[in-house]
Structure formats: C-alpha cells, structure tokens
Amino acid sequence: MRIGELAERAGTTTRTLRYYESRGLLSARRADNGYRTYEEGDLRLIQQIRTLQDFGFDLEETRPFVDCLRAGHSAGDACPASLAVYRRKLGELDALIGQLQSVRTEVGAQLARAEIETSAELPGGPEPRCELNWEDEG
C-alpha cells in the first residue's frame, strides 16, 4: 500500500509516517516509480507505536516494541527489552502518582486553612465545610 492509504488506515498523517521513517521506526520500500510502499505488518507497527504513545510513552520508548514485532513476534511486548520499558514506565508512573498525592494533600490542607481564616474574618460568614457537614446541606 502507499503512504496515504497506510496513514488513513492507521488514523494518522503521512507527515507522521515520514517522521517515524526518519527516526528508523518505519521502513518504506520504494516502487519502480519512487513511491513509498508498505506492507500489512507496517500497519501493526504504527498501531503499536500509537497505542504506546496514547499511554504516555515517548517515541523512543516504543522502539523495543517495534523491534520485537519486526523480529517476528506476535506481540510487541513479547521481548525482554519491551518488558523492561514497561517496568521503567510503571516506576515513573508510581513516582508521579506519589508526587500528585503529596501535592493533593498540601492543597487540601491549604484549602482547609483558607476556609477557616476566611470564615473567621467575615462576621456571620459561612461555617468551614468539612466532609461531615456536607451531608446536612444536601
């Protein structure tokens, strides 16, 4: 298939496919007329790349998965190098989740402090909201 058909079937653009090619993730063959041609297996490569990118993997992190598919494996994550990328990504995600939980705790504490200070400054101001009082307001 030609580049336009591959792009359409993969749900991407020809520009993206040329970029993947420039990064060595996709290999085009050339027809006698000079047009790029691709095979069905190239569609699987692009689908693998796009799925991983949807999960937050950067383009270089997709390389082991692409290499695994090119080596003839039925899945891009059937190789040790792909599993290592998964493990590293999970570690990064766990660290980010920890950071976000810490920030959330701090923001919650700041909100509680601000609500108490605001209600104390306003005569007849609203009582500070807490989880126990929310039921009574509904």
Side-chain angles (χ1 to χ4, degrees), residues 2 4 20 24 27-29 33 42 45-46 55 68 76 83 85 98 111-113 119 127 138:
R2 291 189 18 200
Y20 291 168
S27 299
R29 286 145 302 283
N33 59 9
D42 294 320
L45 295 178
I46 294 164
F55 291 158
C68 192
L83 298 176
V85 172
L111 173 61
R113 180 199 51 76
S119 67
E127 292 284 324

Side-chain angles (χ1 to χ4, degrees), residues 21-86:
E21 187 178 339
S22 75
R23 298 293 306 266
L25 293 168
L26 185 63
S27 299
R29 286 145 302 283
R30 296 286 181 163
D32 292 337
N33 59 9
Y35 290 143
R36 288 174 169 90
T37 61
Y38 300 91
E39 297 175 0
E40 201 65 33
D42 294 320
L43 179 58
R44 287 192 61 222
L45 295 178
I46 294 164
Q47 290 169 332
Q48 177 76 77
I49 292 168
R50 291 180 52 82
T51 297
L52 291 168
Q53 286 191 304
D54 287 347
F55 291 158
F57 289 67
D58 65 37
L59 192 57
E60 195 55 37
E61 288 174 317
T62 70
R63 189 172 301 279
F65 297 86
V66 169
D67 291 344
C68 192
L69 285 170
R70 281 187 180 151
H73 294 277
S74 61
D77 56 8
C79 297
S82 302
L83 298 176
V85 172
Y86 274 153

Side-chain angles (χ1 to χ4, degrees), residues 101-120:
Q101 287 174 332
S102 177
V103 168
R104 187 186 189 292
T105 299
E106 289 295 320
V107 169
Q110 291 288 59
L111 173 61
R113 180 199 51 76
E115 285 180 334
I116 290 169
E117 288 178 8
T118 301
S119 67

Side-chain angles (χ1 to χ4, degrees), residues 115-116 119-120 124-130 133-134 137:
E115 285 180 334
I116 290 169
S119 67
E127 292 284 324
R129 301 179 123 205
C130 69
N133 292 338
W134 289 353
E137 294 179 13

